[in-house]
Amino acid sequence: MADAEKPQCKVILANNIAKTLLEEVHTGLQKISHKPKLVGFLSSTDPAARVYAEWTRKTCTENGFDFELREIDREALEDAILDANVSPDVDGILVYYPIFGSGQDQYLQQLVSIDKDVEGLSHQYISNMYHNIRFLDEHQTKKSILPCTPLAVLKILEYLRIYNMILPYGNRLHGRTITVINRSEVVGRPLAALLANDGASVYSVDISDVQLFTRGGGLRKRRHDVHEKPGWTLKDCLPISDVVISGVPGDKYKVPIELLKEGAVCINFSSEKNFAPEVKEKASIYVPSIGKVTIVVLLRNLLVSGVIHGVEVGD
Amino acid sequence: MADAEKPQCKVILANNIAKTLLEEVHTGLQKISHKPKLVGFLSSTDPAARVYAEWTRKTCTENGFDFELREIDREALEDAILDANVSPDVDGILVYYPIFGSGQDQYLQQLVSIDKDVEGLSHQYISNMYHNIRFLDEHQTKKSILPCTPLAVLKILEYLRIYNMILPYGNRLHGRTITVINRSEVVGRPLAALLANDGASVYSVDISDVQLFTRGGGLRKRRHDVHEKPGWTLKDCLPISDVVISGVPGDKYKVPIELLKEGAVCINFSSEKNFAPEVKEKASIYVPSIGKVTIVVLLRNLLVSGVIHGVEVGD
């Protein structure tokens, strides 16, 4: 029968990808003397924030980390973050957004001390990421952390063998065309830049326009280049994309399945479902959510943070 | 005639307020050896940004400062800012927003080197402002700059004698009730906090809610307190406000004149007119725009910046 011959879409759950990453974390954890402690600040009224908080607790406690959730009135959050910044028993700080849903959230983000920022959202981290700078210091002792969610997507693409290990490091996405739907500062834009830095052609799609990110040829800074694509829409990007990564907030947005290339790899990083179930009739691989991988990436960062604080306390 | 007896509204133009502040700037300028240079970056397509750029040029050159406008494609702006950060002949950097109109604008803002940030928008400046910290360093040699537009409003309120000089410093708005319409991170929220720190009761009104800012009683940090006012709207704030300061972007918004207290002081900091002409039938003082004061405040910051760089080069 013709139908039986059509290759089936493989649905890959974040949990399975997370498992392999967790092994790395366990190995690292055995090398340090204290249990790293993560403090989560919940001031958001968004139910998705609470779900994420509970996931964090579960993943932390199941994997040998301490977790404390502090539910704080949003007006008291600023002082609470400043306290945690200087508290020696806190290794990492995680703030659940949105809180004010305005520029005030970015202000709060920047208050978190850089050496406790396990989300990798400090301006210095983001700026280093865009400029492909891997360390915070000249002597290359302190790694510059990458923002969690974009890094989780990279780890997923590695797991899915979209990164081709035959190619040299830094060029393992060469030849890949990827569409990223969403250009937020927290996920979409950094993700597009990271993918471009690894050699992919990346269409970054936002409500207002399409931009093409490619690896920069600049000598001074090995950063990505951005080319505006006037008049372009998803109609132009999706049919030529090997990988489609979507993270539009809210439950209304759906990626137009009919525009997808046959056999595309589809990844959803929205807390809602950006792909309708019919995606399975078109895609070769579909990853319906990435949250569980994001949390493990966060634990990796917490481990780095725990090592730093352990040295300060122990030596 | 009854009409003749009704006191007339005094319309005060920013230009007149700017003049007195400029004298201070001229005195300061005579004390330093080089002409401070401001570089403006124009990547915005907003016509108001170009107008503001031309105003900056005019004010700079008329008052003994150097000004250079660099019109840069927005994709090249990041590198251009980083270049200006390390260029010894640049004393101050001013970026005209909006550019991307998204979180990317905040990212760019934070790229400007703190000692060339004449707008006072660096996270460290803003965070110091909220916590009433006046210096960047322990030895109190480097002043922490206040964001330009909020500071311009404060200078206007001083000029208008709303600040009562009889009262002790830090409490000169005691007894004043002020409504600020707009709670952006760039102007509205810092302005409300500054006014509260000086003793006023400030209703901060945003599209979603009303918050009351008052001076904090905390011992550790002398910052303002914020109280949510559930259910409150302009109907509740305006009739009890001595001063109404409005900065809603766009030309559609108008402050409801009928709700104003008789004899209120009205200040517009939007680039459009938030007050209809009838405001003059209700207000005692009306300041239709503040841009010219903002630019002088910026020159004051540039002067501080020029002093710092002059010392570095000369000594």
Side-chain angles (χ1 to χ4, degrees):
Chain A
M1 290 177 291
D3 248 22
E5 280 163 32
K6 195 185 165 193
Q8 273 203 316
C9 172
K10 193 164 173 128
V11 177
I12 298 190
L13 301 178
N15 224 3
N16 293 319
I17 309 171
K19 268 181 200 157
T20 64
L21 290 170
L22 267 174
E23 285 166 27
E24 246 183 84
V25 170
H26 291 161
T27 311
L29 201 53
Q30 282 163 1
K31 292 182 188 151
I32 64 169
S33 54
H34 79 297
K35 216 175 182 181
K37 178 174 177 175
L38 178 64
V39 169
F41 285 105
L42 186 63
S43 301
S44 177
T45 53
D46 187 331
R50 182 170 293 274
V51 169
Y52 187 30
E54 285 312 319
W55 271 9
T56 327
R57 180 196 299 284
K58 195 165 172 286
T59 316
C60 277
T61 48
E62 282 177 2
N63 291 287
F65 294 84
D66 265 345
F67 180 75
E68 184 186 329
L69 187 65
R70 298 186 182 167
E71 299 199 34
I72 306 270
D73 184 88
R74 66 183 194 170
E75 294 307 338
L77 181 57
E78 177 162 2
D79 282 349
I81 292 174
L82 294 175
D83 282 341
N85 276 348
V86 295
S87 165
D89 71 322
V90 178
D91 295 292
I93 295 172
L94 173 56
V95 182
Y96 299 100
Y97 298 99
I99 296 161
F100 293 94
S102 68
Q104 205 168 338
D105 286 3
Q106 276 86 62
Y107 170 75
L108 289 168
Q109 223 164 56
Q110 297 310 317
L111 279 180
V112 175
S113 165
I114 191 161
D115 63 329
K116 299 191 178 181
D117 171 20
V118 290
E119 295 185 274
L121 297 175
S122 292
H123 178 75
Q124 191 62 56
Y125 286 142
I126 300 284
S127 159
N128 284 353
M129 180 211 62
Y130 281 127
H131 297 101
N132 230 335
I133 296 169
R134 307 296 170 98
F135 291 90
L136 279 177
D137 57 334
E138 257 187 274
H139 302 296
Q140 309 207 335
T141 58
K142 281 188 183 176
K143 268 200 158 181
S144 190
I145 282 177
L146 292 172
C148 279
T149 308
L151 182 54
V153 175
L154 262 54
K155 290 291 167 191
I156 289 169
L157 292 174
E158 277 180 12
Y159 180 95
L160 300 178
R161 312 287 191 273
I162 307 299
Y163 274 81
N164 184 346
M165 293 305 185
I166 296 283
L167 294 172
Y169 178 78
N171 209 23
R172 289 180 173 155
L173 292 177
H174 189 193
R176 301 291 189 172
T177 301
I178 303 178
T179 290
V180 177
I181 310 174
N182 164 320
R183 201 187 300 131
S184 72
E185 278 306 289
V186 180
V187 189
R189 195 167 80 96
L191 176 59
L194 286 167
L195 297 171
N197 277 342
D198 283 335
S201 298
V202 186
Y203 292 101
S204 167
V205 181
D206 206 349
I207 199 156
S208 57
D209 66 350
V210 173
Q211 296 179 344
L212 171 61
F213 285 51
T214 58
R215 195 160 55 161
L219 278 175
R220 195 173 49 140
K221 305 186 205 76
R222 298 174 308 142
R223 64 162 286 182
H224 61 281
D225 284 334
V226 176
H227 318 267
E228 314 255 0
K229 303 294 285 180
W232 274 53
T233 68
L234 281 180
K235 279 206 174 71
D236 305 286
C237 319
L238 288 186
I240 56 172
S241 290
D242 308 304
V243 180
V244 177
I245 308 169
S246 183
V248 180
D251 57 0
K252 291 206 180 62
Y253 182 75
K254 297 290 169 195
V255 175
I257 305 283
E258 69 283 8
L259 294 177
L260 292 175
K261 188 167 146 176
E262 176 66 39
V265 170
C266 296
I267 300 172
N268 173 55
F269 70 86
S270 170
S271 61
E272 300 290 336
K273 301 220 167 303
N274 284 182
F275 295 94
E278 301 79 56
V279 67
K280 284 177 251 175
E281 286 158 31
K282 211 70 179 283
S284 58
I285 301 178
Y286 170 49
V287 181
S289 77
I290 71 156
K292 289 187 178 166
V293 179
T294 306
I295 291 177
V296 179
V297 165
L298 201 134
L299 289 187
R300 277 167 48 114
N301 292 345
L302 181 59
L303 194 61
V304 171
S305 193
V307 171
I308 292 168
H309 297 133
V311 168
E312 278 174 11
V313 174
D315 288 28
Chain B
M1 291 178 290
D3 248 22
E5 280 165 34
K6 195 187 163 191
Q8 272 203 318
C9 173
K10 191 164 175 129
V11 177
I12 299 190
L13 300 178
N15 224 4
N16 294 322
I17 308 170
K19 267 180 201 157
T20 63
L21 289 170
L22 267 174
E23 285 167 25
E24 245 184 84
V25 170
H26 292 160
T27 312
L29 201 54
Q30 282 164 2
K31 291 181 190 155
I32 65 169
S33 55
H34 79 297
K35 213 176 186 180
K37 178 173 177 175
L38 177 64
V39 170
F41 286 105
L42 186 61
S43 301
S44 178
T45 54
D46 187 332
R50 182 169 295 274
V51 170
Y52 186 30
E54 285 313 318
W55 270 8
T56 327
R57 179 196 300 284
K58 196 165 171 288
T59 316
C60 276
T61 49
E62 281 177 5
N63 291 288
F65 293 84
D66 264 345
F67 179 76
E68 184 187 330
L69 186 64
R70 300 185 182 166
E71 299 199 34
I72 305 269
D73 182 89
R74 66 181 191 171
E75 292 307 336
L77 181 58
E78 177 163 1
D79 282 349
I81 292 173
L82 294 176
D83 282 342
N85 276 348
V86 295
S87 167
D89 71 323
V90 178
D91 295 292
I93 296 173
L94 174 55
V95 182
Y96 299 100
Y97 296 98
I99 298 161
F100 292 93
S102 66
Q104 203 167 339
D105 286 3
Q106 275 87 60
Y107 171 74
L108 289 167
Q109 224 165 56
Q110 298 310 317
L111 279 179
V112 175
S113 165
I114 191 161
D115 63 328
K116 299 193 178 180
D117 172 20
V118 291
E119 294 183 274
L121 296 176
S122 293
H123 177 76
Q124 190 63 55
Y125 287 142
I126 301 282
S127 157
N128 283 353
M129 180 211 63
Y130 281 127
H131 298 101
N132 231 335
I133 296 168
R134 306 293 171 103
F135 291 90
L136 279 177
D137 57 335
E138 257 186 276
H139 303 295
Q140 308 206 338
T141 59
K142 284 188 181 176
K143 266 201 161 182
S144 190
I145 283 177
L146 291 173
C148 278
T149 309
L151 183 54
V153 175
L154 261 54
K155 290 290 166 191
I156 290 169
L157 292 175
E158 276 179 14
Y159 181 95
L160 300 178
R161 311 289 190 271
I162 307 299
Y163 273 81
N164 184 345
M165 294 305 186
I166 297 281
L167 294 173
Y169 177 77
N171 208 24
R172 289 178 175 159
L173 293 178
H174 189 191
R176 300 291 190 173
T177 300
I178 304 178
T179 290
V180 178
I181 309 175
N182 164 322
R183 201 188 299 132
S184 72
E185 277 306 289
V186 180
V187 189
R189 195 167 78 96
L191 176 58
L194 286 165
L195 296 171
N197 278 340
D198 284 336
S201 298
V202 187
Y203 293 100
S204 166
V205 181
D206 205 350
I207 197 156
S208 57
D209 65 351
V210 174
Q211 295 178 346
L212 171 61
F213 286 51
T214 58
R215 196 162 52 163
L219 278 173
R220 194 172 51 139
K221 306 184 205 75
R222 296 175 307 143
R223 63 162 290 181
H224 60 282
D225 285 332
V226 176
H227 319 266
E228 313 258 359
K229 302 294 283 180
W232 274 53
T233 69
L234 282 178
K235 279 206 175 75
D236 307 286
C237 319
L238 289 185
I240 55 172
S241 290
D242 309 304
V243 181
V244 177
I245 308 169
S246 183
V248 180
D251 56 1
K252 292 205 180 62
Y253 182 77
K254 297 288 169 200
V255 175
I257 306 284
E258 70 280 9
L259 294 178
L260 291 175
K261 186 167 148 174
E262 176 66 38
V265 171
C266 296
I267 301 172
N268 173 54
F269 68 88
S270 171
S271 61
E272 302 289 337
K273 302 220 169 300
N274 283 181
F275 293 93
E278 301 78 57
V279 68
K280 284 175 252 177
E281 288 158 32
K282 209 71 178 281
S284 57
I285 301 177
Y286 170 49
V287 181
S289 76
I290 71 157
K292 289 184 178 169
V293 178
T294 306
I295 291 178
V296 180
V297 166
L298 202 132
L299 290 186
R300 278 167 47 114
N301 291 345
L302 181 59
L303 194 63
V304 172
S305 192
V307 170
I308 290 169
H309 297 134
V311 168
E312 278 174 10
V313 173
D315 290 28

XYZ file of all heavy atoms in Angstrom, chain B residues 3 6-11 234-235 237-244 255-267 275-287:
328
model
N -15.569 86.971 33.754
C -14.509 86.294 33.021
C -13.129 86.891 33.271
O -12.140 86.174 33.377
C -14.797 86.342 31.504
C -15.104 84.951 30.993
O -15.494 84.105 31.836
O -14.962 84.705 29.783
N -11.376 85.657 36.391
C -10.847 84.293 36.445
C -9.354 84.339 36.107
O -8.975 84.882 35.085
C -11.608 83.424 35.437
C -11.388 81.950 35.682
C -12.000 81.073 34.603
C -11.372 79.693 34.701
N -11.689 78.858 33.595
N -8.514 83.808 36.988
C -7.084 83.885 36.715
C -6.730 83.112 35.454
O -7.269 82.041 35.210
C -6.436 83.250 37.955
C -7.510 82.502 38.664
C -8.826 83.049 38.210
N -5.821 83.693 34.671
C -5.447 83.054 33.416
C -4.372 81.994 33.603
O -3.538 82.093 34.496
C -4.913 84.119 32.464
C -6.033 84.751 31.648
C -5.480 85.351 30.378
O -4.438 85.971 30.412
N -6.190 85.152 29.276
N -4.402 81.004 32.739
C -3.373 79.959 32.743
C -2.077 80.534 32.178
O -2.079 81.223 31.164
C -3.842 78.786 31.899
S -2.597 77.523 31.664
N -0.997 80.258 32.827
C 0.299 80.708 32.359
C 0.948 79.582 31.553
O 1.188 78.499 32.077
C 1.163 81.077 33.566
C 2.418 81.791 33.197
C 3.051 82.473 34.412
C 4.370 83.062 33.960
N 4.517 84.467 34.312
N 1.206 79.860 30.280
C 1.860 78.858 29.433
C 3.359 79.126 29.467
O 3.800 80.236 29.162
C 1.335 78.917 27.982
C 2.080 77.909 27.106
C -0.169 78.644 27.950
N -7.970 57.149 36.172
C -7.733 58.600 36.167
C -8.853 59.346 36.893
O -8.628 60.425 37.456
C -7.626 59.109 34.730
C -6.301 58.852 34.024
C -6.361 59.366 32.603
C -5.139 59.514 34.776
N -10.050 58.783 36.891
C -11.202 59.402 37.584
C -10.893 59.623 39.058
O -11.404 60.546 39.686
C -12.441 58.502 37.468
C -13.168 58.634 36.149
C -14.664 58.257 36.335
C -15.437 58.504 35.060
N -15.163 57.479 34.036
N -7.557 59.684 40.353
C -6.288 60.423 40.583
C -6.373 61.889 40.201
O -5.882 62.754 40.935
C -5.150 59.845 39.761
S -5.096 58.088 39.688
N -6.934 62.163 39.017
C -6.829 63.531 38.493
C -7.476 64.571 39.395
O -6.870 65.625 39.649
C -7.378 63.610 37.064
C -6.509 62.932 35.988
C -7.082 63.176 34.599
C -5.058 63.410 36.054
N -8.682 64.326 39.915
C -9.309 65.391 40.722
C -8.534 65.746 41.982
O -8.773 66.803 42.568
C -10.682 64.785 41.084
C -10.919 63.702 40.091
C -9.566 63.173 39.747
N -7.621 64.865 42.434
C -6.872 65.176 43.667
C -5.412 65.555 43.382
O -4.616 65.702 44.309
C -6.926 63.999 44.673
C -6.422 62.698 44.019
C -8.333 63.795 45.204
C -6.275 61.537 45.015
N -5.074 65.716 42.103
C -3.664 65.971 41.773
C -3.359 67.448 41.540
O -4.012 68.108 40.743
C -3.271 65.170 40.528
O -3.227 63.804 40.860
N -2.292 67.923 42.215
C -1.833 69.297 42.038
C -1.074 69.441 40.723
O -1.066 70.506 40.119
C -0.866 69.674 43.171
C -1.448 69.369 44.534
O -2.546 69.883 44.812
O -0.827 68.607 45.303
N -0.402 68.358 40.348
C 0.412 68.378 39.140
C 0.062 67.153 38.311
O -0.078 66.051 38.853
C 1.920 68.345 39.496
C 2.775 68.391 38.237
C 2.290 69.485 40.443
N -0.110 67.341 37.002
C -0.395 66.215 36.105
C 0.651 66.236 34.996
O 0.785 67.220 34.272
C -1.816 66.307 35.515
C -2.068 65.163 34.527
C -2.857 66.300 36.636
N -5.550 63.758 27.710
C -5.902 63.748 29.128
C -7.312 64.318 29.274
O -7.618 65.356 28.687
C -4.905 64.607 29.940
C -5.328 64.714 31.397
C -3.492 64.042 29.835
N -8.213 63.655 30.022
C -9.574 64.190 30.199
C -9.564 65.471 31.040
O -9.478 65.408 32.265
C -10.341 63.058 30.890
C -9.303 62.117 31.397
C -8.038 62.347 30.663
N -9.673 66.602 30.346
C -9.569 67.913 30.999
C -10.607 68.081 32.107
O -10.316 68.648 33.168
C -9.791 69.047 29.946
C -8.846 68.899 28.758
C -9.680 70.429 30.592
C -7.446 69.308 28.992
N -11.811 67.536 31.879
C -12.898 67.743 32.844
C -12.572 67.139 34.214
O -13.160 67.531 35.222
C -14.215 67.187 32.283
C -14.323 65.674 32.189
C -13.618 65.042 30.973
O -12.889 65.765 30.263
O -13.789 63.829 30.755
N -11.612 66.201 34.250
C -11.267 65.581 35.537
C -10.196 66.355 36.302
O -9.944 66.088 37.477
C -10.770 64.143 35.320
C -11.786 63.134 34.775
C -11.112 61.777 34.575
C -12.960 62.982 35.752
N -9.551 67.309 35.624
C -8.468 68.054 36.275
C -8.998 68.919 37.406
O -10.095 69.477 37.331
C -7.766 68.969 35.260
C -6.935 68.309 34.160
C -6.430 69.384 33.196
C -5.773 67.530 34.750
N -8.180 69.041 38.424
C -8.468 69.942 39.532
C -8.305 71.375 39.020
O -7.392 71.651 38.234
C -7.410 69.645 40.598
C -7.543 70.325 41.907
C -6.573 69.617 42.865
C -6.030 70.589 43.873
N -5.215 69.866 44.870
N -9.137 72.258 39.429
C -9.015 73.671 39.047
C -7.651 74.201 39.509
O -7.272 74.044 40.671
C -10.164 74.461 39.703
C -10.132 75.955 39.474
C -10.359 76.342 38.009
O -11.194 75.695 37.336
O -9.662 77.273 37.548
N -6.886 74.748 38.569
C -5.582 75.305 38.938
C -4.437 74.306 38.939
O -3.348 74.601 39.442
N -4.666 73.133 38.370
C -3.594 72.122 38.316
C -2.440 72.621 37.455
O -2.615 73.486 36.594
C -4.147 70.818 37.752
N -1.256 72.091 37.698
C -0.088 72.361 36.864
C 0.037 71.197 35.891
O 0.080 70.032 36.308
C 1.180 72.480 37.739
C 2.433 72.547 36.867
C 1.081 73.692 38.647
N 0.050 71.483 34.575
C 0.036 70.407 33.579
C 1.304 70.454 32.726
O 1.652 71.500 32.181
C -1.194 70.522 32.685
S -2.715 70.301 33.627
N 1.952 69.302 32.633
C 3.196 69.210 31.866
C 3.076 68.056 30.886
O 2.694 66.950 31.268
C 4.404 68.988 32.814
C 4.516 70.145 33.809
C 5.696 68.805 32.029
C 5.552 69.932 34.891
N -2.382 67.141 25.930
C -3.410 68.036 26.478
C -4.050 68.831 25.334
O -3.335 69.458 24.537
C -2.800 69.020 27.480
C -2.279 68.378 28.738
C -0.941 68.000 28.842
C -3.126 68.135 29.822
C -0.451 67.412 30.008
C -2.642 67.544 30.998
C -1.301 67.174 31.082
N -5.365 68.803 25.244
C -6.075 69.623 24.257
C -5.944 71.096 24.675
O -5.679 71.392 25.849
C -7.540 69.203 24.203
N -6.144 72.040 23.714
C -5.979 73.468 24.038
C -6.844 73.925 25.219
O -6.467 74.852 25.932
C -6.399 74.177 22.748
C -6.243 73.155 21.663
C -6.460 71.818 22.297
N -7.962 73.241 25.452
C -8.850 73.653 26.566
C -8.206 73.507 27.934
O -8.760 73.946 28.946
C -10.156 72.849 26.567
C -10.981 72.978 25.302
C -10.436 72.122 24.167
O -10.313 70.903 24.360
O -10.114 72.683 23.091
N -7.063 72.846 27.997
C -6.379 72.700 29.272
C -6.169 74.071 29.910
O -6.173 74.214 31.146
C -5.022 71.955 29.094
C -4.004 72.783 28.320
C -4.440 71.559 30.455
N -6.041 75.095 29.048
C -5.760 76.434 29.571
C -6.931 77.024 30.347
O -6.771 77.984 31.099
C -5.361 77.373 28.421
C -3.929 77.103 27.951
C -3.549 77.928 26.746
C -3.472 77.065 25.514
N -3.185 77.802 24.282
N -8.104 76.425 30.163
C -9.259 76.911 30.935
C -9.308 76.321 32.336
O -10.101 76.722 33.173
C -10.550 76.607 30.174
C -10.674 77.527 28.967
C -11.582 76.973 27.892
O -12.546 76.257 28.236
O -11.290 77.247 26.702
N -8.488 75.322 32.577
C -8.523 74.619 33.861
C -7.202 74.767 34.631
O -7.195 74.921 35.851
C -8.797 73.137 33.559
C -9.531 72.346 34.604
C -10.987 72.715 34.737
C -11.725 71.877 35.769
N -12.102 70.539 35.309
N -6.095 74.739 33.906
C -4.773 74.696 34.551
C -4.327 76.076 35.001
O -4.753 77.091 34.450
C -3.758 74.114 33.588
N -3.424 76.100 35.996
C -2.798 77.369 36.381
C -1.512 77.576 35.588
O -1.171 78.693 35.215
C -2.506 77.394 37.886
O -1.672 76.300 38.239
N -0.801 76.474 35.359
C 0.427 76.536 34.567
C 0.374 75.381 33.578
O -0.033 74.268 33.928
C 1.680 76.384 35.456
C 1.741 77.494 36.524
C 2.949 76.360 34.620
C 2.925 77.364 37.475
N 0.806 75.637 32.361
C 0.840 74.572 31.354
C 2.163 74.634 30.613
O 2.541 75.684 30.074
C -0.355 74.739 30.386
C -0.305 73.846 29.171
C -0.049 72.474 29.274
C -0.534 74.369 27.889
C -0.010 71.662 28.147
C -0.505 73.560 26.759
C -0.234 72.203 26.897
O -0.196 71.395 25.789
N 2.884 73.530 30.630
C 4.147 73.417 29.889
C 3.892 72.444 28.734
O 3.785 71.244 28.948
C 5.298 72.906 30.799
C 6.612 72.824 30.032
C 5.437 73.788 32.034
